[in-house]
Every structure is written in C-alpha cells, then in structure tokens.
Amino acid sequence: MQLIPALLLAAALPAATFVALDMAIPRAAAADLPADAQALYEQHCQSCHGVNRLGGAGPALLPESLSRIKPAEAHKVIREGRAASQMAAYADVLDETQIASLVSYLYQPPATPPSWSDADIRGSHRMLADLSKLPTTPQHGADPLNLFVVVEAGDHHVTILDGDRFEPLTRFQSHFALHGGPKFSPDGRFVYFASRDGWISQYDLHNLTKVAEVRAGLNTRNLAVSNDGRWVLVGNYLPGNLVLLDARDLSLIKHIPTVGEDGTPSRVSAVYTAPPRNSFVVALKDVKEAWELSYAGEPTFEPRRIKAKDFLDDFSFTPDYSHLLATSRQAHGGQVIDLDSGQAVTDIPLPGMPHLGSGIYWKRDGKWVFATPNVSKGLISVLDLETWKLIKEIPTEGPGFFMRSQQNSPYAWTDVFFGPNNDAVHLIDKQSLEVAHTLRPMPGKNAAHVEFTNDGRYALLSVWDTEGALIVYDANTLEEIKRLPMNKPSGKYNVGNKIEFAEGTSH
C-alpha cells in the first residue's frame, strides 16, 4: 500500500518550508493502540513499505517521514486512495476504526528503533549504466548549459527541458518525495537528486540516462556536490549524520556522525558547497554549531566546528562566501557568522520567520544587498550586506517561500506561497525596492518558484497544481511565451545558472 505519493503533498519543498506549519502528531503509547494495528500494516502495507516501515518498493512510513502531514489527511488517502498512483482505495477493505488504528500506528516510532548502517548503504547501491561505454559529449542536440531539470511532485517524475525551444527532451519517474534542490557536477554533465527517504540518484544529462543510486539514510535533508566534482555529501535527519559518497558512482566513502562538541547527537539542517573555500558548510539542527569540511587536496573531512549563538535551520552565503546568514530560532530572525574567524558577528533583527536559504543578493547603487522572503509574514526584508542593517520591508499579499532573480533582470520575483493569495507573484524593482508588477498566471492556483534561462532572457514560473503548468515569460516585457501543462512542477533548475552559482538563483 503506497501511502507516501499522496501523503507528501509538497514533497519537493525544502524541509524549512514547513517549520511554520508544525502540527501536533499523536504520540499514543504502543499499549494504547488497537491490537490489530501492526497486523493491518503487515497485511496491507508491509509488502511495499517494508519490515519496520523502513521502505521497500514504496517509501518509508516513519513518523519522521509523515511529520508534515496531518493524520486526517493520511486517513482520507487510505480510505479513498489516490488517482494516477498505485495507492488504491481501502474503504471496501478496512472500516473506519481499522483505518484510524492504522493511521495511529504509522505515526508512532517503530518498536525497533530504525537504523541504517554502512552495510545497509552498500547493500542498497545500484549501478544502472556503465559510464565507460557512454559518450562523453551531449547526445541530445540542445545547449547543455541551458537545460532545465524540472521536478514534478504531483506524480513523482522529472522532465529534462530544452531551454531554447522549451520542449521536453525526456521525462522519467523519480523516487518518491524528491527534495526540490537537485545539485550538479561542475561541468553540468550529472545531476544528483535526493529523496526524503534517503535515496540519492545520479543522472547523466549528456546521455539522458540514470547512472547510479544508493540509499544514504532513512530521512534526508539535502545534498551538496564538491566544486571539484569528486564528492557528494548527504545530510540526514535519520539517522542524524553526514554520508560521504564518491560522485563518480555514488559508492560509499564513509559516514560522519553529527555529534556536538558536548556529545549531543544532532540532525543535519542543511549542507551546501562553498566553491571559493573548497569546502562543504553544514548546519546542525540540534546543537549550536556549524561545520566546515574542507575537500581541498586529499581531504580527511574532519569538521571544523564553528560555534553559533543559536540553533541553525538553514542559511545563505554572502557573495564572497565569507559569511553565513543563518536562520535563528530564538532570535526570531537570523544571525551572521564570519566563516574566516569562526565568530558570530551579529543578530539580524528580522520579524516572523525569514527563509534565508531562499534569499538572494544583487547590487543596488553599487552595493550588495540581500533580500529574503518570510514564511510567516507578508513581507520581503532587504539587508545591507556591509552594515547588516535592515534597509526596507516590502509588503506582499502574504507569506512567501521562493525568491529568484538574474543578473540581467531588473526584477526580483517572489511568490505568496502561503495563504489565500498564493496565486500571486510579485516582481520587485531591484533599485527602487517597490513592487513593480503582480502576476496571477492561473487565478486560484498556487504560483511559485521562478528560474531564468542562462542568458536571463526568459523566466519560467511554476503553477503548483496537479493540473498545473510551467509558464514561460519574456523576462523584460512579461509577455507569456509558452505554457506547458505539468503535474505540480514544484521546481525547475537551469544547468548553467546552477553550476555558475549565478546571481539570483539558489545555491
């Protein structure tokens, strides 16, 4: 019984999306559950989702996997099933009491605490193609730097889109619940995906084929690729650790326990690469530390510990990669960390819950500024990156999540992801800091996440609906150029922009 395709309603979103939406998950003791709850799971679910709910043909069904979903939604999916998926309706098989007991069971920790060892990782490794037999140049005829990788969360597929003709080159099924931020090899040939239940996949964009995959954990936050193309580092919630993979074939190098200096184990909030520093930078969720792991030369990957004033949920870099701007739970805003000195410089006095990991920077009057959306308030905060002072708060029609721009664009595009006005997208003039235009591409349907072509001429916007679309705009005139029907295209990523770490895109 494959529940996850229906349950993870916004599976491609970064975990920080849901920080503001935490909900109480029932934590009844095992003794309080109906005696047949486990038997129901074993009869109807175990064949797909595995012993101890660790996953098999279907994804893991652990509390960590379901924490973003209300139990009432899970109940509805079991009862009614889900169209266009393998999830059948069980209303004729299970009565309401049985469904309720099964839902309660799924939200409880397994009787045997889940674990995922090096042997488990190695046992999951699969080679799907022989790279030595594949051409080393693009075989599709499109500009390899102007391809888009489009994650379609609605039916768990990925589309590779020609960014010149805006035509799909191929479409293939992904693992369930892909994280919305795939990462690329430095030359743009390979793209690496992470699913929420730990599957890491390597895909060859030159030959449009899957190369390898491995399960690096049970609940994964995200991954990063080193700037020399040698390493993939995966950050996990469960088990709380880092997993280092060989970028050539995803074979396991080692796992790195994420334990604070005081011995406290921690989940991983975020991991990114910092190209000028030749290092990975990691935020730990449960201890007040950031880690820097050098990959220069022949690295040992021993972490350099940087003490933070608060727990870090996500972060962004300054343009020169000298500082982190990190979300801070207790400060209700953020903090600035100097990566060279390892010192926390200052708090950033931002209201609500800024999503700094989706913030962007640009030059205004010759000076760098940084702008961040906010997942709990309808505003965009703009900071001076020299003084760390707030320049302006730009009101929007509601809380947002994604913000994007491009060096050649006069506008910063930001959505209104949360709330009743989520069909709106604001275009902010990067010099006046005023909302210059508001678009409603499909009234009543959630519009979010913009990415530009490599030259900045066109902007591609997602409509997050099962009957949604990818809409192509002329980035200067705002004329609609093309509309491609898609099934909840949660994110799209331009190869050139990503490998160049282009101004205005996500890193």
Side-chain angles (χ1 to χ4, degrees):
M1 181 170 70
Q2 296 189 348
L3 296 175
I4 286 287
L7 296 181
L8 292 183
L9 301 179
L13 282 176
T17 309
F18 297 91
V19 172
L21 305 180
D22 281 349
M23 57 197 70
I25 302 298
R27 297 292 182 188
D32 296 331
L33 293 174
D36 64 348
Q38 183 170 340
L40 290 172
Y41 174 83
E42 292 172 355
Q43 180 179 356
H44 299 290
C45 309
Q46 184 168 289
S47 61
C48 283
H49 297 282
V51 177
N52 290 329
R53 295 178 275 155
L54 297 185
L61 294 180
L62 300 168
E64 293 82 359
S65 305
L66 300 173
S67 63
R68 301 173 180 86
I69 308 302
K70 294 179 181 179
E73 295 175 38
H75 189 109
K76 181 179 179 181
V77 171
I78 296 172
R79 183 177 64 241
E80 300 178 8
R82 184 172 183 264
S85 80
Q86 297 181 50
M87 179 61 204
Y90 277 74
D92 294 336
V93 179
L94 304 174
D95 61 31
E96 288 296 300
T97 299
Q98 289 174 314
I99 294 174
S101 68
L102 182 54
V103 170
S104 296
Y105 175 74
L106 295 179
Y107 280 92
Q108 309 313 311
T112 301
S115 64
W116 199 247
S117 67
D118 287 1
D120 292 320
I121 296 173
R122 291 191 175 97
S124 71
H125 185 238
R126 306 168 186 167
M127 289 303 300
L128 306 174
D130 184 348
L131 281 178
S132 68
K133 297 180 179 179
L134 294 177
T136 58
T137 56
Q139 301 299 297
H140 43 65
D143 180 353
L145 295 184
N146 202 32
L147 298 181
F148 286 83
V149 175
V150 186
V151 176
E152 293 186 67
D155 58 359
H156 308 280
H157 277 72
V158 172
T159 293
I160 308 301
L161 187 74
D162 180 339
D164 292 317
R165 298 184 301 117
F166 304 114
E167 293 288 344
L169 297 178
T170 188
R171 187 173 187 267
F172 58 91
Q173 187 167 2
S174 71
H175 281 282
F176 296 120
L178 280 191
H179 184 277
K183 302 297 169 60
F184 296 81
S185 61
D187 61 1
R189 176 177 177 179
F190 300 110
V191 58
Y192 300 86
F193 300 96
S195 74
R196 283 295 177 204
D197 58 347
W199 281 101
I200 310 302
S201 305
Q202 179 185 8
Y203 186 86
D204 183 348
L205 289 168
H206 284 2
N207 296 285
L208 303 180
T209 189
K210 295 180 183 179
V211 175
E213 60 185 13
V214 67
R215 193 176 188 186
L218 299 176
N219 190 272
T220 292
R221 179 64 182 92
N222 68 338
L223 64 81
V225 180
S226 63
N227 196 47
D228 58 9
R230 296 174 62 193
W231 316 104
V232 172
L233 189 65
V234 181
N236 286 323
Y237 270 18
L238 182 67
N241 65 8
L242 295 165
V243 173
L244 183 68
L245 305 173
D246 188 319
R248 295 171 298 181
D249 60 4
L250 299 184
S251 58
L252 177 65
I253 304 300
K254 66 176 180 177
H255 81 270
I256 304 167
T258 45
V259 178
E261 197 167 30
D262 64 356
T264 302
S266 179
R267 296 166 289 174
V268 176
S269 293
V271 52
Y272 298 106
T273 188
R277 306 179 67 85
N278 293 312
S279 66
F280 293 114
V281 179
V282 178
L284 302 187
K285 192 172 185 65
D286 304 305
V287 297
K288 297 177 182 179
E289 292 180 17
W291 287 5
E292 184 170 25
L293 298 91
S294 173
Y295 50 74
E298 294 302 322
T300 64
F301 293 99
E302 286 297 317
R304 170 191 173 221
R305 299 176 186 269
I306 301 171
K307 292 186 178 179
K309 291 182 179 179
D310 194 6
F311 302 98
L312 306 180
D313 285 316
D314 203 356
F315 61 86
S316 186
F317 295 101
T318 53
D320 61 359
Y321 288 81
S322 64
H323 292 77
L324 297 183
L325 285 77
T327 304
S328 177
R329 289 181 231 163
Q330 295 179 357
H332 303 293
Q335 58 184 298
V336 178
I337 298 174
D338 186 323
L339 284 174
D340 292 328
S341 69
Q343 300 297 312
V345 176
T346 186
D347 289 333
I348 309 173
L350 302 177
M353 190 171 293
H355 184 215
L356 296 176
S358 192
I360 60 173
Y361 50 78
W362 66 84
K363 280 194 173 180
R364 177 176 181 260
D365 298 329
K367 296 182 178 180
W368 287 111
V369 299
F370 178 85
T372 177
N374 197 301
V375 301
S376 66
K377 288 184 177 292
L379 57 85
I380 301 296
S381 299
V382 184
L383 298 169
D384 184 318
L385 286 183
E386 290 183 3
T387 66
W388 314 115
K389 302 296 184 183
L390 183 66
I391 298 172
K392 186 172 183 178
E393 291 180 343
I394 306 168
T396 62
E397 292 189 20
F401 189 75
F402 295 107
M403 195 169 188
R404 294 290 183 267
S405 188
Q406 206 269 355
Q407 185 174 357
N408 297 323
S409 173
Y411 305 118
W413 298 54
T414 187
D415 58 55
V416 185
F417 195 89
F418 303 102
N421 301 313
N422 64 8
D423 58 353
V425 174
H426 296 308
L427 279 65
I428 296 169
D429 186 295
K430 293 196 292 190
Q431 301 307 310
S432 69
L433 304 183
E434 300 288 342
V435 175
H437 304 278
T438 296
L439 306 178
R440 283 184 167 81
M442 294 180 74
K445 293 188 176 183
N446 193 353
H449 195 279
V450 169
E451 177 70 297
F452 288 77
T453 51
N454 193 222
D455 60 6
R457 183 177 175 184
Y458 299 100
L460 281 66
L461 182 147
S462 292
V463 176
W464 288 45
D465 192 87
T466 54
E467 297 181 358
L470 197 62
I471 302 177
V472 182
Y473 289 97
D474 184 299
N476 292 307
T477 68
L478 308 185
E479 174 191 0
E480 183 177 323
I481 303 300
K482 194 168 187 177
R483 184 172 294 214
L484 292 82
M486 287 194 180
N487 192 336
K488 196 176 288 185
S490 56
K492 84 291 304 163
Y493 307 89
N494 179 272
V495 173
N497 289 343
K498 293 289 283 185
I499 67 173
E500 295 160 7
F501 295 87
E503 177 183 320
T505 193
S506 62
H507 292 182

